[in-house]
Amino acid sequence: MHGKTVLVTGGTAGIGKETARGLARLGADVILVGRDPDRAKNAADELSREAAGEVMALPADLSDLAGLRRLAEQVAGRYDRLDVLVNNAGGVYPERRLTRDGVEATFAVNVLAPYALTCLLLPLLRSADRARVVNLTGGLPDGAIDPDNLQGEKTFLGWTFTQYNHTKTALMAMSHRFASLLGEEVTVNVAYPGHASTPGNRAIPMRAFPYLYRPVAPLVRLLGPLLLSDLTRAARSSIHLASSPEVEGVTGAYVDARTRRASWPTGALDARGQEAVWALCERLSGLSPA
């Protein structure tokens, strides 16, 4: 990864930070993006002490389209190419809320932000040799996509349904469509990190869990830090897709937490669902991969 420039969103803690750490150790110059400027700077300073490449911080609110545009402008002002974009940042909310753009927040962070940032940075990605986009899914992204409920308009939380899982399936649908459009010019693949005890997961309030799972949630909270605290394991799949020679030129792939090729969830491949997600991202962002 020496000489490569990588951008990792949500890189101030958790899986994103471990992904940035791993890529920096491999020699990449890493742009670490986080919402809080102080946390982003502190994380970059920490990783710089063990990095073979340069690590710098750029603060940005990924739920805000104007913030995404500012981030892309800052990156373009500093670099003439981008070799890897890791869309790691994710959001979990206990109830439906709208961003300043009027977009449901879970969809805004988990689907719209990766779509918009990829579009905005596409000129820099195309300027690199065999650039890669890595999108991180999570949760249980194996359900159907409801085109009439993409922003939680009908159902946000149910007995087994959560808008978070819904958006992670939508992210995969969007990624699959992106891969088919760009071909090998810029590869687009999806990583599943597995379950991990991250600061973000530990901060999820009980009311964000689907009703059926709430009785066991306290046990998960208790055992998580004991059994799922090794975040280097959770970062393996994203580091693999971002750096491994084995996947150079490979696009439209989905890999599991052990970096093995996995089958795409049926919901992510549904043509009607893909079209609905893609059309909504285009309309909300005003962007398309030209």
Side-chain angles (χ1 to χ4, degrees):
M1 293 297 287
H2 289 275
K4 303 285 189 181
T5 301
V6 178
L7 187 149
V8 181
T9 66
T12 59
I15 297 170
K17 186 177 180 181
E18 290 307 313
T19 299
R21 189 194 309 275
L23 295 172
R25 284 175 172 171
L26 291 174
D29 293 331
V30 176
I31 307 164
L32 190 152
V33 177
R35 184 172 56 184
D36 184 278
D38 292 332
R39 289 183 63 193
K41 182 182 182 303
N42 290 340
D45 290 344
E46 176 191 334
L47 299 190
S48 292
R49 292 192 287 270
E50 54 187 276
E54 178 189 6
V55 182
M56 67 166 296
L58 285 178
D61 181 355
L62 301 184
S63 70
D64 178 41
L65 287 167
L68 290 168
R69 291 182 183 276
R70 284 193 297 271
L71 172 62
E73 289 169 0
Q74 287 179 296
V75 176
R78 293 172 180 262
Y79 299 91
D80 59 4
R81 76 174 197 282
L82 182 65
D83 296 281
V84 183
L85 168 62
V86 182
N87 287 305
N88 164 85
V92 182
Y93 303 95
E95 62 274 321
R96 190 175 190 270
R97 64 179 70 173
L98 301 181
T99 68
R100 70 181 67 189
D101 299 308
V103 182
E104 191 277 311
T106 323
F107 188 89
V109 175
N110 295 347
V111 188
L112 186 61
Y115 172 88
L117 194 56
T118 302
C119 287
L120 290 166
L121 294 175
L122 201 51
L124 291 181
L125 291 164
R126 283 173 165 152
S127 294
D129 181 26
R130 294 180 179 270
R132 307 181 186 192
V133 176
V134 180
N135 293 333
L136 266 74
T137 189
L140 301 172
D142 55 0
I145 293 174
D146 183 352
D148 299 319
N149 193 49
L150 292 179
Q151 296 192 72
E153 299 95 332
K154 297 190 305 182
T155 305
F156 189 84
L157 194 67
W159 285 100
T160 59
F161 175 88
T162 67
Q163 175 66 354
Y164 174 78
N165 290 335
H166 194 210
T167 58
K168 286 301 185 178
T169 308
L171 168 69
M172 296 185 71
M174 179 271 289
S175 302
H176 195 274
R177 174 68 66 90
F178 233 131
S180 65
L181 287 175
L182 296 182
E184 294 183 16
E185 177 188 23
V186 175
T187 63
V188 181
N189 297 302
V190 174
Y192 183 78
H195 301 290
S197 179
T198 65
N201 285 341
R202 292 193 295 271
I204 297 174
M206 191 69 65
R207 65 184 189 280
F209 286 86
Y211 306 134
L212 189 63
Y213 302 151
R214 289 184 186 180
V216 299
L219 182 63
V220 173
R221 289 186 185 279
L222 177 65
L223 296 179
L226 299 175
L227 303 177
L228 303 171
S229 61
D230 185 1
L231 299 185
T232 60
R233 296 171 65 88
R236 287 185 302 181
S237 57
S238 49
I239 292 173
H240 172 73
L241 287 177
S243 64
S244 175
E246 296 177 15
V247 291
E248 183 171 314
V250 173
T251 194
Y254 174 40
V255 302
D256 66 15
R258 296 185 180 182
T259 73
R260 302 170 301 190
R261 290 286 292 267
S263 299
W264 287 79
T266 302
L269 298 179
D270 176 71
R272 181 168 173 261
Q274 280 193 11
E275 180 58 36
V277 172
W278 190 266
L280 183 58
C281 286
E282 276 192 321
R283 179 173 65 80
L284 292 174
S285 68
L287 299 165
S288 61

